[in-house]
Amino acid sequence: MPKVELHVHLEGSFDAERIAQLAREAGEVMPYDKESVLSPSNLDELLTRLDWWCGLVRTPEQVERQAYDLARRLSDDGVVYAEVIVNPTHWSALRRDVLLEAVSEGFARASAQGLCDAWLLVSLLRSQTSDEAIELVAELERRPPSRLVGLSIDGNEAAAGPTGERFASAFALAATIGLGRTAHAGESSGPEGVWSALDQLRVTRIDHGVRSIEDPHLIERLIDDSVTLDVCLTSNVRLLYGTIDLHPLRQLVERGVAVTINTDDPATLGVNLTSEMALAETVCSWGIDGAIGATERAIAASFASDAKATELRRMLDVFAAQVM
Ligand code: ADE
Ligand code: ZN
């Protein structure tokens, strides 16, 4: 099936082999062994590791290759369009504009070769200040990286506290310059994080958002405003619920919330979109119609141009005609 992914982090696309290679190239000793480097036990540990291995990336060429390799892996998995989150705070050895342009170049090279068409969501870290957020968006307005489609927020909401008010001005500016808006919420925060993302940041979709299930009024609001939750099952099991049996995907779907299926940090979690779609099938038993529906919703919620969205719908229609 031609698939679309809206919630995948470039920082989570490093496999153990690549991390070991970057450590060698940077002359650094691995503080983790190769077997356990990709097994953080909670979100804070994951974020610390992302800082460490992204900090090993020292040149634009290494970034370009990582971006290209992710697009190629997505392609190998049948993903035809992706919006990839990049949080510059993890990449401490590189200037932000250099990083974002190198990512764009890697995606452009892949796309020119007919591989997955990948675009860029630049992400704020939860713990950044209001001024830092505004400065980032102002820079994106002055010199937009060539594959930029939107602004995002990630990091640990539980540790950084509520960020709606702090980032409201930056998100308002992002809206005026035509950027798509999304934010992680309802993962390391409860429903209040989702309310805040909707009311103060005016996002059109939520990364994770699964803890919305705890608030029936919020569920109504998500449905009324056609907000999409970009859900990542294995990530939520690993960092939040412990077991797939406790995951609320099925309840969200049954109540009529628009959900899409995504990988979050594919190499770290050892998943791809096909395996996450298969896991969603075990939870929802929604058949091929359900998988096609999730992809239709991903196209609708994407920040792709109208022409691109039309092209993606046609590809999906061709597939649907073959299998139904
Ligand atoms: N950055 C990478 N993965 C993340 C996650 N699951 N939650 C918040 N920030 C992240
Ligand atoms: Zn994420």
Short mmCIF file of all heavy atoms in Angstrom, two decimals, residues 65-93:
data_model
loop_
_atom_site.label_atom_id
_atom_site.label_comp_id
_atom_site.label_asym_id
_atom_site.label_seq_id
_atom_site.Cartn_x
_atom_site.Cartn_y
_atom_site.Cartn_z
N ARG A 65 23.30 12.76 4.42
CA ARG A 65 23.24 11.31 4.24
C ARG A 65 22.18 10.68 5.15
O ARG A 65 21.45 9.78 4.73
CB ARG A 65 24.62 10.70 4.53
CG ARG A 65 24.60 9.23 4.39
CD ARG A 65 25.91 8.57 4.67
NE ARG A 65 25.63 7.19 5.05
CZ ARG A 65 26.51 6.37 5.56
NH1 ARG A 65 27.75 6.77 5.74
NH2 ARG A 65 26.17 5.15 5.87
N GLN A 66 22.10 11.17 6.38
CA GLN A 66 21.10 10.62 7.31
C GLN A 66 19.69 10.89 6.78
O GLN A 66 18.82 10.01 6.82
CB GLN A 66 21.28 11.26 8.70
CG GLN A 66 20.49 10.56 9.80
CD GLN A 66 20.98 9.14 10.06
OE1 GLN A 66 22.16 8.84 9.87
NE2 GLN A 66 20.07 8.26 10.46
N ALA A 67 19.48 12.11 6.27
CA ALA A 67 18.16 12.47 5.73
C ALA A 67 17.85 11.62 4.49
O ALA A 67 16.74 11.08 4.35
CB ALA A 67 18.13 13.96 5.39
N TYR A 68 18.83 11.50 3.61
CA TYR A 68 18.65 10.69 2.40
C TYR A 68 18.35 9.23 2.76
O TYR A 68 17.43 8.61 2.22
CB TYR A 68 19.89 10.78 1.52
CG TYR A 68 19.83 9.89 0.30
CD1 TYR A 68 19.24 10.34 -0.88
CD2 TYR A 68 20.34 8.59 0.34
CE1 TYR A 68 19.15 9.51 -1.99
CE2 TYR A 68 20.26 7.76 -0.76
CZ TYR A 68 19.68 8.22 -1.92
OH TYR A 68 19.58 7.39 -3.01
N ASP A 69 19.13 8.70 3.71
CA ASP A 69 18.96 7.29 4.10
C ASP A 69 17.57 7.04 4.71
O ASP A 69 16.98 6.00 4.47
CB ASP A 69 20.04 6.86 5.11
CG ASP A 69 21.38 6.62 4.42
OD1 ASP A 69 21.42 6.63 3.18
OD2 ASP A 69 22.38 6.44 5.15
N LEU A 70 17.09 8.01 5.49
CA LEU A 70 15.74 7.84 6.05
C LEU A 70 14.71 7.80 4.91
O LEU A 70 13.83 6.93 4.89
CB LEU A 70 15.40 8.97 7.03
CG LEU A 70 13.93 8.97 7.52
CD1 LEU A 70 13.56 7.65 8.21
CD2 LEU A 70 13.64 10.15 8.45
N ALA A 71 14.84 8.73 3.96
CA ALA A 71 13.88 8.75 2.84
C ALA A 71 13.95 7.43 2.06
O ALA A 71 12.92 6.89 1.64
CB ALA A 71 14.17 9.94 1.92
N ARG A 72 15.16 6.89 1.91
CA ARG A 72 15.29 5.62 1.18
C ARG A 72 14.65 4.47 1.97
O ARG A 72 13.95 3.62 1.41
CB ARG A 72 16.77 5.31 0.90
CG ARG A 72 16.94 4.39 -0.29
CD ARG A 72 18.35 3.89 -0.43
NE ARG A 72 18.87 3.54 0.88
CZ ARG A 72 20.15 3.60 1.23
NH1 ARG A 72 21.05 3.97 0.37
NH2 ARG A 72 20.54 3.27 2.45
N ARG A 73 14.86 4.46 3.29
CA ARG A 73 14.24 3.41 4.11
C ARG A 73 12.72 3.52 4.09
O ARG A 73 12.00 2.52 4.04
CB ARG A 73 14.75 3.47 5.55
CG ARG A 73 16.06 2.69 5.75
CD ARG A 73 16.25 2.27 7.20
NE ARG A 73 16.17 3.40 8.10
CZ ARG A 73 17.15 4.26 8.33
NH1 ARG A 73 18.30 4.12 7.69
NH2 ARG A 73 17.00 5.24 9.17
N LEU A 74 12.23 4.75 4.14
CA LEU A 74 10.77 4.95 4.06
C LEU A 74 10.25 4.41 2.72
O LEU A 74 9.23 3.71 2.66
CB LEU A 74 10.44 6.44 4.21
CG LEU A 74 10.61 7.02 5.62
CD1 LEU A 74 10.59 8.55 5.59
CD2 LEU A 74 9.53 6.50 6.56
N SER A 75 10.97 4.73 1.67
CA SER A 75 10.61 4.24 0.33
C SER A 75 10.58 2.72 0.26
O SER A 75 9.65 2.13 -0.28
CB SER A 75 11.69 4.70 -0.65
OG SER A 75 11.14 5.50 -1.62
N ASP A 76 11.61 2.11 0.82
CA ASP A 76 11.69 0.63 0.83
C ASP A 76 10.46 0.04 1.54
O ASP A 76 10.06 -1.08 1.26
CB ASP A 76 12.96 0.14 1.56
CG ASP A 76 14.22 0.44 0.77
OD1 ASP A 76 14.10 0.77 -0.44
OD2 ASP A 76 15.31 0.38 1.35
N ASP A 77 9.89 0.81 2.46
CA ASP A 77 8.73 0.35 3.22
C ASP A 77 7.41 0.79 2.56
O ASP A 77 6.35 0.66 3.16
CB ASP A 77 8.84 0.91 4.65
CG ASP A 77 7.77 0.38 5.58
OD1 ASP A 77 7.37 -0.79 5.42
OD2 ASP A 77 7.31 1.14 6.46
N GLY A 78 7.50 1.38 1.38
CA GLY A 78 6.27 1.78 0.67
C GLY A 78 5.70 3.12 1.10
O GLY A 78 4.57 3.46 0.78
N VAL A 79 6.49 3.90 1.86
CA VAL A 79 6.01 5.24 2.25
C VAL A 79 6.34 6.20 1.10
O VAL A 79 7.50 6.36 0.73
CB VAL A 79 6.68 5.71 3.57
CG1 VAL A 79 6.20 7.11 3.94
CG2 VAL A 79 6.40 4.72 4.69
N VAL A 80 5.30 6.82 0.56
CA VAL A 80 5.50 7.67 -0.63
C VAL A 80 5.59 9.15 -0.28
O VAL A 80 6.06 9.96 -1.07
CB VAL A 80 4.38 7.45 -1.68
CG1 VAL A 80 4.50 6.06 -2.29
CG2 VAL A 80 2.99 7.66 -1.08
N TYR A 81 5.12 9.50 0.91
CA TYR A 81 5.16 10.90 1.35
C TYR A 81 5.35 10.91 2.87
O TYR A 81 4.70 10.12 3.58
CB TYR A 81 3.85 11.63 0.99
CG TYR A 81 3.79 13.05 1.51
CD1 TYR A 81 4.28 14.11 0.75
CD2 TYR A 81 3.27 13.33 2.78
CE1 TYR A 81 4.25 15.41 1.24
CE2 TYR A 81 3.23 14.63 3.27
CZ TYR A 81 3.72 15.67 2.49
OH TYR A 81 3.69 16.95 2.98
N ALA A 82 6.25 11.78 3.35
CA ALA A 82 6.48 11.85 4.81
C ALA A 82 6.77 13.28 5.23
O ALA A 82 7.36 14.06 4.48
CB ALA A 82 7.65 10.94 5.20
N GLU A 83 6.33 13.62 6.43
CA GLU A 83 6.72 14.87 7.07
C GLU A 83 7.57 14.50 8.27
O GLU A 83 7.10 13.81 9.18
CB GLU A 83 5.47 15.68 7.45
CG GLU A 83 4.74 16.12 6.17
CD GLU A 83 3.44 16.88 6.40
OE1 GLU A 83 3.09 17.14 7.57
OE2 GLU A 83 2.79 17.20 5.39
N VAL A 84 8.83 14.93 8.25
CA VAL A 84 9.83 14.44 9.20
C VAL A 84 10.18 15.54 10.20
O VAL A 84 10.55 16.65 9.80
CB VAL A 84 11.09 13.96 8.45
CG1 VAL A 84 12.16 13.48 9.43
CG2 VAL A 84 10.75 12.88 7.44
N ILE A 85 10.07 15.21 11.48
CA ILE A 85 10.37 16.17 12.55
C ILE A 85 11.88 16.24 12.77
O ILE A 85 12.54 15.21 12.91
CB ILE A 85 9.66 15.74 13.85
CG1 ILE A 85 8.15 15.70 13.65
CG2 ILE A 85 10.04 16.66 15.01
CD1 ILE A 85 7.39 14.98 14.77
N VAL A 86 12.40 17.47 12.81
CA VAL A 86 13.82 17.68 13.14
C VAL A 86 13.88 18.74 14.23
O VAL A 86 13.37 19.85 14.05
CB VAL A 86 14.64 18.14 11.91
CG1 VAL A 86 16.08 18.41 12.31
CG2 VAL A 86 14.58 17.09 10.81
N ASN A 87 14.49 18.39 15.36
CA ASN A 87 14.62 19.33 16.47
C ASN A 87 16.08 19.77 16.56
O ASN A 87 16.94 19.01 17.01
CB ASN A 87 14.17 18.64 17.77
CG ASN A 87 14.22 19.60 18.94
OD1 ASN A 87 15.10 20.45 19.01
ND2 ASN A 87 13.28 19.46 19.85
N PRO A 88 16.38 21.02 16.14
CA PRO A 88 17.78 21.46 16.07
C PRO A 88 18.52 21.41 17.40
O PRO A 88 19.74 21.31 17.42
CB PRO A 88 17.67 22.91 15.57
CG PRO A 88 16.35 22.99 14.87
CD PRO A 88 15.45 22.05 15.62
N THR A 89 17.79 21.42 18.54
CA THR A 89 18.50 21.44 19.83
C THR A 89 19.27 20.15 20.08
O THR A 89 20.22 20.13 20.86
CB THR A 89 17.54 21.68 21.02
OG1 THR A 89 16.67 20.55 21.16
CG2 THR A 89 16.71 22.95 20.83
N HIS A 90 18.87 19.05 19.43
CA HIS A 90 19.60 17.79 19.63
C HIS A 90 20.97 17.79 18.92
O HIS A 90 21.84 17.02 19.25
CB HIS A 90 18.79 16.60 19.10
CG HIS A 90 17.54 16.32 19.89
ND1 HIS A 90 17.55 16.04 21.24
CD2 HIS A 90 16.24 16.25 19.52
CE1 HIS A 90 16.32 15.82 21.66
NE2 HIS A 90 15.50 15.94 20.64
N TRP A 91 21.10 18.65 17.89
CA TRP A 91 22.27 18.57 17.00
C TRP A 91 23.26 19.67 17.42
O TRP A 91 23.45 20.66 16.70
CB TRP A 91 21.84 18.74 15.55
CG TRP A 91 20.72 17.84 15.12
CD1 TRP A 91 19.40 17.92 15.49
CD2 TRP A 91 20.81 16.71 14.23
NE1 TRP A 91 18.67 16.91 14.88
CE2 TRP A 91 19.50 16.16 14.11
CE3 TRP A 91 21.86 16.11 13.53
CZ2 TRP A 91 19.23 15.05 13.33
CZ3 TRP A 91 21.58 15.00 12.73
CH2 TRP A 91 20.28 14.48 12.64
N SER A 92 23.92 19.45 18.56
CA SER A 92 24.66 20.54 19.19
C SER A 92 25.91 20.97 18.43
O SER A 92 26.42 22.06 18.67
CB SER A 92 25.04 20.12 20.62
OG SER A 92 25.68 18.86 20.56
N ALA A 93 26.40 20.15 17.51
CA ALA A 93 27.65 20.50 16.83
C ALA A 93 27.41 21.28 15.54
O ALA A 93 28.37 21.63 14.85
CB ALA A 93 28.45 19.23 16.53
#
